[in-house]
Amino acid sequence: MIHGNQRIVKHKIGLLNLAEELSNVSRACKIMGLSRDTFYRYKAAVEDGGVEALIDKNRRKPNVKNRVDELTEEA
């Protein structure tokens, strides 16, 4: 059974654990409301990089070019 402390990956780990417990990926996906493709993506990510690979990495750096000059912003 896989354990994770972060709330971000809780539902993803829950899906993997449920499938392991039920021994049926299709039923676990139906219960959780996710596709089997999603399950296999999560499973591949865990096999490649561990539980840390499930953390969302869509946090982008801000684009400084889109910022207004400080003087204009203060006005």
Side-chain angles (χ1 to χ4, degrees), residues 31-74:
I31 290 170
M32 296 289 284
L34 297 168
S35 68
R36 286 187 302 145
D37 180 57
T38 301
F39 169 81
Y40 288 112
R41 279 190 287 122
Y42 293 167
K43 184 177 177 184
V46 169
E47 289 173 355
D48 290 342
V51 176
E52 293 79 26
L54 294 176
I55 298 172
D56 291 334
K57 293 185 174 119
N58 59 359
R59 311 255 178 193
R60 297 184 306 162
K61 294 180 183 177
N63 189 354
V64 181
K65 296 177 196 173
N66 291 339
R67 294 291 306 225
V68 179
D69 292 334
E70 289 185 32
L71 296 174
T72 307
E73 190 173 329
E74 288 177 10

